[in-house]
Amino acid sequence: YTITMATTSMLRLLGPRPGAAAPFPSSLSAAAASLRPSAASAAHHPYIAGGAALSQLLPTATSSRRFLSTDDLESIKRRNIGISAHIDSGKTTLTERILYYTGRINSIHDVRGKDGVGAKMDSMDLEREKGITIQSAATFCRWKDARINIIDTPGHVDFTIEVERALRVLDGGILVLCGVSGVQSQSLTVDRQMKRYNVPRLAFINKLDRQGSNPWKVIGDLRNQLKLNAAAMQIPVGLEDGHEGVVDLITMKSYVFEGEKGEKIVEGDIPGDMTEMVEEKRAELIERLAEVDDEIGELFLMEEEPTEEQLKEAIRRQTVACKFVPVFMGSAFKNKGVQKLLDGVIDYLPEPIEKPNFALDRSKDEEPVQVTCKKEDPLLALAFKLEETPFGQLTYMRIYQGMLKKGNFIINVNDGKKIKLARIVRMHSDEMEEIDEAHAGDVVAMFGIDCRSMDTFSDGNMNLAMSTMFVPEPVMSLAVKPAEQKMQNNFAKALNKFTKEDPTLRVKVDSETKETVLSGMGELHLEVYIERMNREYNVECVSGQPNVNYKETIASKATFDWLHKKQTGGAGQYAKVQGYIEPMTEEEIKELGKPNQFVNKCIGTNIPPEYYPSCEKGMNDATVEGALVGCEVEGVRVVLQDGASHAVDSSDMAFRICMANAIRDTMKRANPSVLEPIMTVEIEIPSEFQGAVTASLSRRMGMIQSSDMNDDGSGLKIEVQVPLANMFGYSTELRSLTQGKGEFSMEYYQHAAVPRNVQEELMDKYKMEREAEAA
């Protein structure tokens, strides 16, 4: 035990040699196996770096396990990266290989969980069943002399907020592209998000083992569709079934990946039949660099060949400045090219200190202040993701400067609350590794912190706040309710948890229809949350289209003379009202500030003055539920002119009931109509889909207001007014019409009269509902 501990401590401080470490000496392995048999097999993993593996074998008295010593943390390179792409481009598969080659996991599992295990980063059962990533998952690993924090993000547009929040806090990204499909719809969205937060990125062209793969078409798409200055860093050695490895255009060597899991890299010379293409692509790389880098530009003009060192430095400079995108190639599923991509992450993506991040000084009218990313400075950290666990709320935090230490106090800048750090963990998908402290540039998670997403934390020495992230508006809504009343409590808990976790999920109780309406980014988004309610909270939900907020109004004037008389053996009820109702104009409604008006023009005391308020309440009762379809009435002016009362039988209630019945009856004679909400819809699409989208809007009774082409003619913005009732399911239709490239947003414009045939359908439906209730 003593020998094991001493040797382990020494090796942990020394860290691993560059690249993969050899297995441990057999005597040490045996000693470790006797202490912790389950972990001993990890020692023989071909890619485990000595320090990391031995720390896993350490018998620890507490649950806290240190990954690196404090001195190590000071000197080691760090990278915070996100892996983003279109659906099914191979992000999670790539992350699985990265974790295997860096020694974080001992075996590779399939994304869809066919082997009963599933990919490490897809820890949710739903993710493994559907074969998609739903939540972003964080992990960390070591490669050579660097420590890498990785966040694997979803590819589906419905979960785009997970990509948004990851890119907001990361220093670099890997944009994964399919070697066959190239740039797809979500690739465009991810590119917009990376540009929004100035995230330097590498591109990785995946799936080069597939039939029809063409990396040069993909690079063309990067340049033409995403307008990126991209150039290949490698050339694939063979494509489709013959894909074996890559030729590096910097070192001018070939790398072939052999072994069952691609762990054996065979370095060699460039194959003879590829020499011409290598020269051509290397010249193209230098030319692309020369356009943005002065040093390479000078060498290019002087027709001098840059050295390997000069090329690497120039690529790093321009990648960090977001002016150049190095393109790597391979096939994650077939274990080709992943190790060289990891080298690229270390060589070309920025250290946390190299990426400029700005806080807002709240004492100086939110003036931007650049953060230092030094551990000696006051703490500044951002909570970017919340997750409910059996142990309470887990808060993911990015530290921008200063350090977090277990037992210390931190202050929430947004609400001033002081919190003690009881537990700090480093995440590995759904597993946690406790640590005592974390430094500037780290991504960690904490328990016991009650806060909202995007709250800033400090140690109280300054009044700075980090800027928040962009949250897109929901595009689809569903009416939801628990199947049984006894589930109501859990239903409310689930909605509260989910809306705290996901800013794009909105819940509101419609004040008109009294329904709980769940709004989100698409059908799959809402379907996943309804399924999660069932699995995690045992709440079965009934969902359907939300009721549209129809209204009723009148188009002509009509008089009333109504008597309410009821005798019930004692004091009865007696009231009589006379007057008229008339329609109001939109200008009058706006000026008045309320939808209906009550005007008292009574002269004398036929109706005693104390009953006037009761008459107004009766009008309000009548306008809450109209006579046609039971919806709210608006745009009606009620004028009371006269009436009658009884000394004994008249009362507040009698006049209230009388007035309500009078208005309901008179409305039927005042040419009533049903109004529906009209939405202003803004649609952005590539111009080639204009015909199909315009036709679909016409089918939905849309009235096009404007259509503007963007500067380069590639995109189109259409503004159209469409009835809300016709917009259900439009997000899915627009995506299918535009190959997923179209986006839309909508907001309320006004209420307008429905066509006569629709009004009759709504009246018949309302009549049937009333009869069913009565039965």
Side-chain angles (χ1 to χ4, degrees):
Y1 176 84
T2 311
I3 294 167
T4 306
M5 288 293 285
T7 314
T8 302
S9 301
M10 188 170 71
L11 284 172
R12 279 171 67 207
L13 287 168
L14 289 171
R17 299 191 302 276
F24 305 144
S26 57
S27 58
L28 184 56
S29 291
S34 67
L35 290 166
R36 190 179 294 170
S38 61
S41 59
H44 300 287
H45 185 293
Y47 267 85
I48 285 185
L54 282 161
S55 67
Q56 288 168 3
L57 292 173
L58 269 175
T60 47
T62 67
S63 59
S64 177
R65 228 168 53 202
R66 296 302 305 278
F67 192 71
L68 290 165
S69 72
T70 310
D71 296 333
D72 245 353
L73 281 167
E74 293 303 302
S75 58
I76 202 162
K77 292 178 185 172
R78 295 184 204 183
R79 300 290 180 271
N80 294 319
I81 62 166
I83 298 179
S84 309
H86 185 80
I87 316 148
D88 233 13
S89 293
K91 298 175 297 300
T92 306
T93 306
L94 175 63
T95 312
E96 188 83 353
R97 270 55 179 182
I98 288 173
L99 294 178
Y100 177 73
Y101 295 134
T102 56
R104 289 296 287 147
I105 57 176
N106 296 327
S107 55
I108 295 172
H109 295 287
D110 189 32
V111 165
R112 289 188 184 270
K114 291 170 188 166
D115 55 2
V117 180
K120 181 69 192 173
M121 302 304 279
D122 285 348
S123 55
M124 201 189 289
D125 289 341
L126 261 176
E127 293 180 314
R128 291 178 176 178
E129 281 172 28
K130 292 179 179 285
I132 59 169
T133 302
I134 291 169
Q135 288 187 329
S136 57
T139 187
F140 65 98
C141 58
R142 287 191 67 180
W143 181 250
K144 297 190 176 176
D145 58 345
R147 202 162 129 254
I148 307 172
N149 287 312
I150 302 172
I151 296 185
D152 175 34
T153 61
H156 203 287
V157 66
D158 287 24
F159 309 108
T160 192
I161 192 66
E162 294 290 333
V163 187
E164 193 81 38
R165 67 166 128 223
L167 294 176
R168 166 65 188 83
V169 298
L170 294 172
D171 305 316
I174 299 174
L175 178 62
V176 183
L177 299 149
C178 173
V180 179
S181 308
V183 170
Q184 294 164 276
S185 58
Q186 193 64 4
S187 314
L188 297 166
T189 308
V190 169
D191 175 64
R192 275 199 299 274
Q193 291 167 325
M194 285 181 166
K195 285 173 179 168
R196 186 179 295 138
Y197 301 114
N198 294 318
V199 177
R201 92 284 294 267
L202 310 179
F204 180 66
I205 301 176
N206 194 19
K207 302 193 177 185
L208 291 183
D209 59 306
R210 276 185 54 191
Q211 202 73 28
S213 56
N214 182 353
W216 312 116
K217 172 191 166 290
V218 181
I219 291 176
D221 287 351
L222 283 172
R223 293 169 183 168
N224 300 327
Q225 292 189 41
L226 304 186
K227 311 295 182 210
L228 296 173
N229 183 24
M233 304 293 290
Q234 301 166 337
I235 294 178
V237 177
L239 288 172
E240 301 175 358
D241 293 342
H243 181 53
E244 295 177 346
V246 292
V247 171
D248 193 315
L249 295 177
I250 305 296
T251 61
M252 298 299 275
K253 296 275 185 189
S254 72
Y255 298 92
V256 175
F257 302 88
E258 296 180 352
E260 187 189 344
K261 294 176 179 172
E263 67 273 14
K264 189 180 175 188
I265 306 171
V266 179
E267 184 182 311
D269 294 329
I270 299 166
D273 59 341
M274 294 181 67
T275 311
E276 195 177 316
M277 183 182 242
V278 168
E279 293 296 335
E280 179 195 326
K281 295 301 178 185
R282 182 178 164 92
E284 188 181 295
L285 166 66
I286 293 168
E287 191 178 329
R288 287 264 165 190
L289 262 180
E291 288 174 14
V292 290
D293 190 82
D294 293 342
E295 187 184 336
I296 300 296
E298 279 180 30
L299 293 170
F300 183 73
L301 290 172
M302 293 162 66
E303 297 185 359
E304 290 181 16
E305 187 73 16
T307 64
E308 184 182 321
E309 205 56 44
Q310 284 173 323
L311 269 178
K312 279 190 170 181
E313 284 174 7
I315 292 167
R316 180 179 178 76
R317 269 197 305 272
Q318 301 313 323
T319 302
V320 171
C322 297
K323 292 180 180 177
F324 182 74
V325 178
V327 181
F328 292 80
M329 304 188 186
S331 167
F333 186 65
K334 292 292 172 72
N335 312 310
K336 314 283 187 203
V338 178
Q339 297 95 319
K340 301 309 290 180
L341 174 66
L342 278 168
D343 289 342
V345 167
I346 309 303
D347 290 341
Y348 306 124
L349 289 182
E351 286 269 352
I353 201 164
E354 289 178 288
K355 170 136 190 290
N357 284 296
F358 294 89
L360 305 173
D361 191 336
R362 298 170 70 169
S363 60
K364 295 183 181 175
D365 198 25
E366 298 199 341
E367 181 186 303
V369 178
Q370 187 162 348
V371 297
T372 62
C373 205
K374 291 179 181 172
K375 80 157 204 172
E376 304 82 24
D377 291 333
L379 172 71
L380 202 60
L382 181 70
F384 67 93
K385 177 177 161 73
L386 310 177
E387 197 176 293
E388 284 294 329
T389 72
F391 311 107
Q393 181 176 297
L394 181 66
T395 306
Y396 286 77
M397 210 171 278
R398 160 72 197 265
I399 308 165
Y400 283 95
Q401 68 180 40
M403 62 188 288
L404 291 171
K405 205 165 188 176
K406 201 169 167 181
N408 281 8
F409 285 91
I410 59 172
I411 292 169
N412 187 333
V413 172
N414 298 59
D415 60 17
K417 283 184 185 171
K418 198 172 185 181
I419 303 151
K420 186 176 182 179
L421 292 176
R423 193 176 173 202
I424 307 173
V425 295
R426 197 180 275 125
M427 298 303 295
H428 179 40
S429 187
D430 58 341
E431 295 173 11
M432 301 167 200
E433 181 174 309
E434 286 208 27
I435 55 174
D436 295 331
E437 61 183 54
H439 295 187
D442 279 345
V443 176
V444 293
M446 276 159 283
F447 284 101
I449 294 182
D450 184 25
C451 67
R452 300 195 70 81
S453 185
M454 292 294 141
D455 275 1
T456 304
F457 288 85
S458 78
D459 50 14
N461 296 333
M462 53 188 175
N463 194 17
L464 298 180
M466 301 302 295
S467 59
T468 186
M469 66 176 170
F470 171 77
V471 178
E473 287 300 310
V475 297
M476 187 178 177
S477 300
L478 276 182
V480 291
K481 63 178 181 183
E484 297 174 35
Q485 192 59 34
K486 64 181 182 183
M487 298 174 177
Q488 190 68 43
N489 202 19
N490 276 1
F491 178 69
K493 274 185 195 171
L495 291 181
N496 185 43
K497 173 198 163 182
F498 294 152
T499 48
K500 210 171 178 186
E501 275 182 19
D502 186 348
T504 55
L505 187 74
R506 312 279 172 86
V507 177
K508 69 169 184 178
V509 177
D510 194 305
S511 57
E512 316 292 340
T513 62
K514 307 301 179 200
E515 289 179 311
T516 303
V517 178
L518 200 60
S519 304
M521 300 306 295
E523 282 174 270
L524 181 63
H525 189 211
L526 297 176
E527 182 191 309
V528 161
Y529 278 110
I530 288 167
E531 181 65 25
R532 281 184 66 189
M533 266 190 238
N534 193 1
R535 291 183 185 215
E536 295 173 29
Y537 287 87
N538 204 23
V539 175
E540 198 176 320
C541 280
V542 178
S543 63
Q545 281 190 3
N547 288 334
V548 173
N549 176 21
Y550 290 106
K551 292 186 178 179
E552 296 179 31
T553 192
I554 57 172
S556 60
K557 183 176 175 180
T559 58
F560 58 84
D561 183 351
W562 191 268
L563 173 67
H564 174 66
K565 191 174 176 183
K566 191 175 182 182
Q567 198 65 41
T568 55
Q573 290 182 0
Y574 182 92
K576 184 178 182 181
V577 291
Q578 294 173 331
Y580 62 88
I581 61 174
E582 64 181 0
M584 293 169 68
T585 64
E586 279 188 36
E587 287 74 24
E588 286 174 325
I589 294 171
K590 279 181 186 171
E591 193 177 324
L592 191 65
K594 51 185 183 178
N596 302 297
Q597 186 180 17
F598 177 77
V599 179
N600 179 12
K601 288 189 177 178
C602 289
I603 298 168
T605 55
N606 284 346
I607 298 178
E610 61 266 27
Y611 295 140
Y612 293 156
S614 302
C615 291
E616 186 169 356
K617 285 176 186 172
M619 179 204 78
N620 292 336
D621 293 344
T623 55
V624 165
E625 191 176 321
L628 290 181
V629 292
C631 292
E632 183 188 348
V633 177
E634 74 167 23
V636 175
R637 182 184 288 114
V638 178
V639 179
L640 181 64
Q641 293 174 310
D642 203 357
S645 64
H646 186 277
V648 175
D649 290 350
S650 288
S651 64
D652 283 333
M653 185 55 71
F655 272 97
R656 186 169 180 171
I657 293 169
C658 180
M659 194 70 179
N661 290 338
I663 293 169
R664 284 191 187 113
D665 180 70
T666 312
M667 273 188 67
K668 294 173 185 174
R669 294 180 280 107
N671 195 10
S673 62
V674 177
L675 305 176
E676 66 179 343
I678 304 294
M679 312 301 283
T680 297
V681 184
E682 263 193 15
I683 305 165
E684 292 187 26
I685 54 168
S687 51
E688 64 262 31
F689 302 113
Q690 182 176 3
V693 171
T694 307
S696 81
L697 290 169
S698 300
R699 287 195 298 274
R700 291 174 181 267
M701 310 290 288
M703 298 277 289
I704 293 175
Q705 304 298 308
S706 67
S707 178
D708 298 319
M709 193 81 74
N710 66 6
D711 295 340
D712 59 4
S714 63
L716 190 72
K717 184 187 273 188
I718 302 172
E719 190 174 296
V720 61
Q721 288 172 1
V722 192
L724 175 62
N726 299 343
M727 284 301 291
F728 294 121
Y730 186 64
S731 58
T732 310
E733 184 183 352
L734 181 65
R735 284 171 194 167
S736 64
L737 285 173
T738 61
Q739 297 170 12
K741 295 174 185 173
E743 290 182 351
F744 81 98
S745 63
M746 65 180 182
E747 60 182 23
Y748 172 75
Y749 174 60
Q750 65 175 22
H751 269 73
V754 299
R756 182 59 58 185
N757 65 316
V758 176
Q759 181 166 317
E760 286 169 6
E761 284 173 20
L762 290 168
M763 288 170 68
D764 290 344
K765 184 183 171 187
Y766 179 62
K767 189 178 175 185
M768 286 166 65
E769 284 174 0
R770 291 292 294 269
E771 286 171 0
E773 280 176 19

